[in-house]
């Protein structure tokens, strides 16, 4: 602790504080420059995040063929069969007669809790085996056909722990026990007929038991292979001619994915009844998808353009910590709102990006489709150049062109070729990627070290200057204290000498 002014009566603390405030002015400016640069860096990164969101939307549109040419499928028997169509689905009517649904295999047995506990105690160490059927699964190292599953009964087991062992032995099997009724249920999780040999030792059962080695199932619960139910494929007829089967209640054919909910029934002549599914272009959905893209693009343009139109308030630099302590939260908020205005106004990356993005929409796509310009499908930039290249949609024209030739609209936007035939949204992605790269070179991203981008290097250099200035200020403050302390000592000595002289003079006249 430093205490000054004891001899002189001077408020040394205040004087040194005022002197240091004057000395600190260049440091405050350096810290304000650092804060402003950090704001600029973060503003650039926020723009890159917004660009990345637009890129993800474009990527999803490109990967989903239904974005520009979606199909809608109406069913005359929605309770029995529905369908969705990809862009490859041809418009028209299709007939589907569902004669059988896919089902899972299920088998049941009965035993009391007491019988189960007795069986476990008497069969400690016994290996229980059951058999299931399936298709080849390379990840699990399984081959197609019959697969042996087994587990051991241990003296500490309960019916719950044994059920867990069943689940562990085959993840396609589900089992449970209802204590109230004493009923044990074992079933396949997936539908379909995987054991097609009805003459094998299990009689075509999907979950097979062998007498002797499956006493847990066959003796304790009295389960047999012939009492299994289900394990069937879905069966249906396409356009009265093609008879097909599916292991589950879905099937993809001719660009359409059918979902079966029930059988379509039999008519009075004992013939399957057809459900009619009608495929048409879903123009409403296509317009919605394109509008979503245009809105997202316009959000980005508004952000970029806004950075170039924000006013710069030179009289509102970033606040120092001392200034913040003297202001309310609302005052700080209002101040920083002006201090952050126009952060990127003079950054050339933004105007360059706006020019590049705007030029995309006026370029020509050389392809075999009906459309070569964006304006031909009703999408143009606004007339006001100050908008920065916002897009607008003439929905009537867009609907007309989608109905006329949705494939050509798709090619105009997403043709993956290089050069003059490259689709407009592919070109837009190229431009966005270039802007992202320029911003990362200038402002980096979260995973970058400071040395990997321009602003980071500048911030590090600024940090070193600030640290050096702070060290110098400490030395200056120490010097002031030493000077004032020396002054205090001199004054104290003078006061002492004066007191001694006065004492000496007083003694002479006594």
């Amino acid at each position: 602790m430093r205490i000054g002014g004891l001899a002189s009566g001077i408020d040394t603390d205040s004087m040194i504080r005022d002197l240091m405030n004057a000395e600190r002015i260049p440091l405050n400016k350096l810290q304000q420059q650092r804060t402003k640069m950090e704001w600029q860096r973060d503003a650039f990164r926020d723009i890159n995040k917004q660009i990345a969101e637009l890129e993800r939307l474009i990527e999803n549109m490109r990967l989903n063929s239904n974005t520009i040419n979606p199909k809608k499928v109406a069913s005359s028997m929605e309770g029995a069969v529905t369908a969705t169509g990809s862009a490859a689905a041809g418009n028209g009517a299709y007939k589907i007669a569902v004669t059988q649904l896919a089902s899972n295999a299920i088998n049941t047995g009965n035993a009391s809790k007491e019988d189960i506990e007795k069986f476990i105690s008497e069969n400690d160490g016994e290996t229980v085996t059951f058999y299931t059927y399936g298709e080849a699964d390379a990840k699990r190292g399984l081959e197609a056909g019959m697969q042996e599953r087994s587990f051991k009964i241990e003296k500490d087991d309960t019916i719950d722990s044994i059920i867990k062992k069943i689940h562990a032995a085959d993840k396609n099997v589900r089992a449970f026990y209802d204590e109230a009724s004493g009923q044990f249920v074992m079933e396949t999780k997936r539908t379909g007929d995987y054991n097609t040999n009805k003459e094998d030792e299990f009689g075509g059962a999907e979950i097979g038991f062998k007498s002797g080695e499956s006493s847990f199932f066959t003796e304790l619960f009295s389960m047999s292979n012939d009492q299994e139910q289900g394990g069937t494929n879905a069966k249906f007829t396409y356009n009265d001619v093609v008879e097909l089967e599916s292991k589950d209640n879905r099937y993809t054919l001719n660009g359409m994915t059918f979902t079966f909910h029930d059988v379509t029934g039999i008519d009075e002549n004992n013939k399957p009844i057809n459900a009619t599914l009608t495929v048409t272009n879903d123009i409403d959905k296509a317009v919605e998808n394109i509008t979503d893209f245009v809105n997202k693009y316009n959000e980005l343009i508004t952000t970029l353009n806004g950075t170039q139109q924000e006013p710069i308030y030179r009289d509102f630099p970033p606040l120092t910590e001392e200034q913040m302590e003297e202001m309310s939260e609302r005052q700080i908020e209002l101040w920083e709102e002006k201090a952050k205005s126009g952060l990127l106004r003079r950054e050339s990356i933004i105007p360059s990006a706006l020019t590049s993005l705007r030029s995309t929409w006026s370029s020509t796509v050389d392809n075999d489709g009906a459309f070569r310009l964006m304006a031909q499908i009703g999408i143009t930039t606004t007339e006001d150049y100050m908008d920065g290249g916002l897009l607008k949609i003439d929905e009537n024209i867009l609907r007309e062109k989608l109905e006329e030739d949705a494939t050509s609209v798709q090619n105009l936007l997403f043709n993956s070729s290089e050069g003059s035939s490259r689709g407009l949204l592919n070109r837009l992605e190229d431009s966005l990627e270039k802007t992202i790269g320029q911003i990362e070179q200038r402002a980096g991203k979260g995973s970058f070290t400071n040395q990997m981008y321009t602003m980071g290097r500048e911030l590090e250099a600024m940090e070193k200057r600030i640290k050096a200035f702070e060290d110098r200020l400490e030395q200056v403050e120490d010097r002031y204290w030493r000077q004032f302390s020396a002054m205090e000592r001199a004054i104290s000595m003078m006061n002492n000498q004066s007191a001694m002289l006065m004492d000496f003079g007083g003694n002479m006249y006594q």
Side-chain angles (χ1 to χ4, degrees), residues 64-289:
N64 184 358
S65 61
N66 284 350
T67 299
I68 306 301
N69 191 17
K71 302 290 184 175
K72 57 183 177 181
V73 185
S75 172
S76 64
M77 299 177 67
E78 290 189 350
V81 56
T82 56
T84 57
S86 69
N91 291 355
Y94 303 86
K95 293 184 290 184
I96 297 291
V98 182
T99 56
Q100 178 176 287
L101 292 179
S103 64
N104 64 310
I106 184 169
N107 205 334
T108 62
N110 286 85
S112 68
K113 186 177 181 181
E114 292 75 15
D115 288 341
I116 294 172
E117 292 172 348
K118 180 181 178 183
F119 182 90
I120 291 172
S121 66
E122 293 177 352
N123 292 273
D124 178 26
E126 178 183 319
T127 298
V128 177
T129 304
F130 64 98
Y131 299 83
T132 58
Y133 288 78
E135 295 176 335
D137 187 337
K139 289 184 178 179
R140 296 176 60 193
L142 301 180
E143 298 178 356
M146 185 179 73
Q147 303 294 324
E148 180 181 306
R149 315 294 186 192
S150 61
F151 60 91
K152 278 190 177 183
I153 294 177
E154 298 173 354
K155 61 181 180 181
D156 295 330
D157 271 330
T158 63
I159 184 61
D160 289 336
S161 66
I162 287 178
I163 286 173
K164 289 180 180 178
K165 290 180 179 181
I166 293 172
H167 292 166
D170 192 324
K171 297 191 181 342
N172 281 322
V173 170
R174 175 174 51 234
F176 64 89
Y177 176 73
D178 179 39
E179 187 174 336
S181 64
Q183 190 168 46
F184 176 77
V185 177
M186 194 169 178
E187 60 185 341
T188 57
K189 290 182 180 179
R190 40 96 177 121
T191 59
D193 181 7
Y194 289 86
N195 183 7
T196 57
N197 183 8
K198 307 309 176 187
E199 305 300 324
D200 71 356
E201 58 187 316
F202 304 124
E206 297 295 313
I207 304 174
F209 312 118
K210 292 182 179 180
S211 298
E213 67 178 17
S214 302
S215 56
F216 176 81
F217 301 108
T218 58
E219 295 179 16
L220 175 60
F221 290 106
S222 301
M223 297 171 71
S224 63
N225 296 313
D226 58 8
Q227 70 187 35
E228 180 183 279
Q229 298 181 25
T232 60
N233 291 340
K235 294 182 179 181
F236 66 102
T237 304
Y238 173 80
N239 279 349
D240 291 328
V241 176
V242 184
E243 295 183 355
L244 298 166
E245 291 190 23
S246 172
K247 285 186 166 32
D248 56 29
N249 288 306
R250 290 169 64 86
Y251 196 88
T252 299
L253 178 70
N254 193 29
M256 290 180 290
T257 298
F258 302 99
T259 301
F260 309 124
H261 310 285
D262 200 352
V263 296
T264 52
I266 302 295
D267 65 14
E268 63 276 6
N269 296 319
N270 203 33
K271 291 185 177 181
I273 298 173
N274 282 313
T276 301
L277 293 99
T278 306
V279 180
T280 57
N281 289 336
D282 191 348
I283 302 301
D284 290 339
K285 186 61 178 177
V287 171
E288 178 186 332
N289 293 336

Side-chain angles (χ1 to χ4, degrees), residues 241-440:
V241 176
V242 184
E243 295 183 355
L244 298 166
E245 291 190 23
S246 172
K247 285 186 166 32
D248 56 29
N249 288 306
R250 290 169 64 86
Y251 196 88
T252 299
L253 178 70
N254 193 29
M256 290 180 290
T257 298
F258 302 99
T259 301
F260 309 124
H261 310 285
D262 200 352
V263 296
T264 52
I266 302 295
D267 65 14
E268 63 276 6
N269 296 319
N270 203 33
K271 291 185 177 181
I273 298 173
N274 282 313
T276 301
L277 293 99
T278 306
V279 180
T280 57
N281 289 336
D282 191 348
I283 302 301
D284 290 339
K285 186 61 178 177
V287 171
E288 178 186 332
N289 293 336
I290 294 174
T291 301
D292 287 345
F293 159 74
V294 168
N295 290 339
K296 194 72 173 177
Y297 175 83
N298 284 346
E299 287 176 13
L300 175 63
I301 295 302
T302 300
T303 298
L304 295 176
N305 201 38
T307 64
Q308 304 308 295
Q309 296 179 350
E310 289 177 349
I312 299 174
Y313 298 98
R314 301 186 186 281
D315 296 332
F316 289 83
L319 293 167
T320 63
E321 292 182 6
E322 292 79 8
Q323 289 171 327
M324 288 184 181
E325 290 173 0
E326 298 173 359
M327 300 170 69
S328 68
E329 289 186 7
R330 181 57 178 164
Q331 287 174 323
I332 293 172
E333 180 183 342
L334 292 173
W335 183 284
E336 290 194 344
E337 185 177 316
K338 289 184 179 296
K340 291 181 178 180
S341 179
L343 284 173
L344 303 180
R345 184 163 179 174
R346 301 222 175 129
E347 295 289 342
S348 61
I349 294 174
I350 307 301
S352 175
L354 284 167
T355 300
S356 176
L357 295 174
R358 187 184 182 102
S359 66
T360 299
W361 309 119
S362 60
S363 58
T364 301
V365 178
D366 295 325
N367 61 65
D368 297 331
F371 313 119
R372 301 178 66 193
L373 294 169
M374 196 72 156
Q376 289 179 294
I377 63 171
I379 303 176
T380 57
T381 55
T382 57
E383 290 80 6
D384 189 349
Y385 190 83
M386 295 301 293
D387 286 345
L390 292 176
L391 296 179
K392 64 177 182 178
I393 300 175
D394 187 323
E395 190 171 315
N396 291 330
I397 294 178
L398 179 59
R399 285 180 175 276
E400 176 186 334
K401 300 308 178 183
L402 285 168
E403 290 175 356
E404 178 183 317
D405 193 346
T407 301
S408 288
V409 175
Q410 177 85 19
N411 289 338
L412 175 68
L413 298 178
F414 289 111
N415 194 355
S416 59
S417 301
E418 298 296 331
S420 62
S421 61
R422 190 163 176 77
L424 292 178
L425 293 193
N426 299 75
R427 296 181 189 182
L428 178 66
E429 278 188 303
D430 297 340
S431 181
L432 293 174
E433 276 298 314
K434 180 180 177 182
T435 300
I436 285 177
Q438 290 174 333
I439 289 177
E440 287 182 352

